[in-house]
Amino acid sequence: QVQLVESGGGLVQAGGSLRLSCAPSTSIAGVNTMGWYRQAPGKQRELVATMTSAGITNYADSVKGRFTISRDNAKKTVYLQMNSLKPEDTAVYYCYGRIYSSYWNDDWGQGTQVTVSS
């Protein structure tokens, strides 16, 4: 069951910015932690940033100072503002959410490609 949909990926030159967004495709009862993970070709999926429902954030060291996670709890939407992008940021970015519909579940988006050219 795919309940999260990402948007905002694309091609950008080094030093540029992108903003990703993620929202449930259907109405849900609640959401807890939401965040972003990424997977580059030939590499394992890694955490980028997460935010709890209370606003506590966690960032990968590689993106601190460049990326900012935010969320709109009323819209149950999470965002990732990516600034000063580097070629090594190139990856498929996946939205994550701890979602409650009829029960709590870990849900993932299908991914959005971010490509940073030099």
Side-chain angles (χ1 to χ4, degrees):
Q1 298 182 34
V2 179
Q3 296 180 271
L4 299 171
V5 180
E6 305 100 333
S7 64
L11 174 65
V12 65
Q13 64 183 12
S17 298
L18 287 172
R19 188 167 101 141
L20 308 182
S21 63
C22 172
S25 60
T26 60
S27 63
I28 57 175
V31 59
N32 200 327
T33 298
M34 300 189 78
W36 296 91
Y37 293 71
R38 68 186 182 187
Q39 187 168 22
K43 294 186 176 182
Q44 296 181 345
R45 187 175 299 186
E46 65 176 356
L47 179 146
V48 178
T50 60
M51 179 179 282
T52 71
S53 59
I56 300 172
T57 59
N58 184 35
Y59 292 93
D61 288 340
S62 60
V63 307
K64 287 181 178 178
R66 299 189 298 121
F67 292 10
T68 302
I69 188 170
S70 61
R71 62 191 288 174
D72 183 332
N73 288 331
K75 297 182 182 296
K76 298 181 176 64
T77 301
V78 64
Y79 306 92
L80 184 68
Q81 179 66 47
M82 304 185 293
N83 298 326
S84 301
L85 283 161
K86 304 175 181 179
E88 49 263 46
D89 294 318
T90 296
V92 177
Y93 284 70
Y94 295 91
C95 179
Y96 164 82
R98 180 71 170 171
I99 303 294
Y100 186 85
S101 52
S102 57
Y103 53 88
W104 287 102
N105 191 44
D106 295 316
D107 289 330
W108 294 87
Q110 293 183 314
T112 184
Q113 177 71 46
V114 172
T115 302
V116 184
S117 64
S118 60

